Amino acid sequence: MAASHLLILVWACCFSSVLCLSLLNKSTFSSSRRVTLNQPPSSCRAKPHQISPRSVSRFHSIYTTRRHRIQPLFMNAPGDGRQPDELISEAEVLLAKAKKLRESLAKTEEERAASKAVGISTPSEKETSNVDENTTSSLPSVGYRLYVDIGREDGTWMDPRWGASGKRIEFTVDVDFLTSDGGEASMASGDVVKRMVKDNFGGTSSPVYVLNSSPNARLRGGFDKMKCQGGAYRIDYGQGGRATTRFHLLVDGTPETGSTYGDIWVPRGCLYFSIPCFANSISNLSSKESPITVRQIGWHTGWRREESRMVGTFRAMPIEDAKRRDGY
């Protein structure tokens, strides 16, 4: 009887042990499964051996330093014996140079786009000089003083904002028309001839001759000036014995913004003048008010091309008469 009771007790103990081990294994499996489902795959997790103390220090410096854009990048620069401050200073200098270069390139592109928009090409030194000034000064010529009045005119195709306030710019410039008596030396060069407007379709024209000018135009009674670089002229012969002198002057113009002239300025490039002359001679220019135009790209003629836009008027007076009247 005692032996049977002992056997039952041993069997109960073994059964309890097996049951406890089974429950323990089930609990451990469920816990590990939950952990596995809540974590990314092992291929996406960083392995402990892949994170070095140096990387921890680097990332800590990036998120804690106040100069996080420059300094952390040089905290652990390999193979360079310079200090972080030296590297930061060099980076700042390079950034300043890059910014200056971008600004200069942008300014160049703006000037090029503006010149293209108004149909003006920046001339070289070779283009701006017709012939040697010392040579042309001794050639036969006829001198005039031009009294120029730049401002918005009725019916002009200029930008509506240009001269909208009604302000105007007045200046004088002395010019010398070289005559045919000077022979080939009085003839304009090919680059200068190309700047002449080909608008005499119904008649004949003289050859294109050199037009010299004073180095600067006088603005505001001589208190301001504008650089002039001469030009060229020709005489167009029409029907009924009428003749028109057409010429251009290459000028630097006045600032478009930031000047005391307001919303008016003299366009940079060629100013085109047209004035009647009598007896087909440059010595007999009309004293009446005549138009001044510039060449700009637009659509006013029906398609996009260069067109003439009126920017003001002028009068021409023989140079000797002008000197006696003006006192200079």
Side-chain angles (χ1 to χ4, degrees), residues 219-225:
L219 289 78
R220 293 174 170 166
F223 289 98
D224 201 357
K225 62 183 180 179

Side-chain angles (χ1 to χ4, degrees), residues 70-81:
I70 299 178
Q71 187 170 358
L73 302 179
F74 300 99
M75 290 296 294
N76 296 294
D80 197 332

Side-chain angles (χ1 to χ4, degrees), residues 164-181:
S165 64
K167 293 184 177 180
R168 305 186 75 86
I169 299 177
E170 297 181 355
F171 65 87
T172 60
V173 58
D174 296 343
V175 295
D176 287 323
F177 296 84
L178 301 191
T179 64
S180 58
D181 297 336

Side-chain angles (χ1 to χ4, degrees), residues 3 66 69 129 158 161 202 211 265 295:
R66 300 184 67 176
R69 291 190 178 181
S129 59
M158 290 294 289
R161 294 169 296 182
L211 174 69
W265 65 87
R295 300 285 288 175

Side-chain angles (χ1 to χ4, degrees), residues 8 14 108 120 174 189 211-212 220 229 231 254 275 295 297:
I8 292 172
C14 292
T108 302
I120 297 173
D174 296 343
S189 62
L211 174 69
N212 287 332
R220 293 174 170 166
Q229 303 177 38
T254 58
I275 187 171
R295 300 285 288 175
I297 300 294

Side-chain angles (χ1 to χ4, degrees), residues 131 134-142 178-179 181-187:
V131 289
N134 294 329
T135 303
T136 59
S137 60
S138 61
L139 294 175
S141 63
V142 178
L178 301 191
T179 64
D181 297 336
E184 292 185 1
S186 300
M187 305 288 289

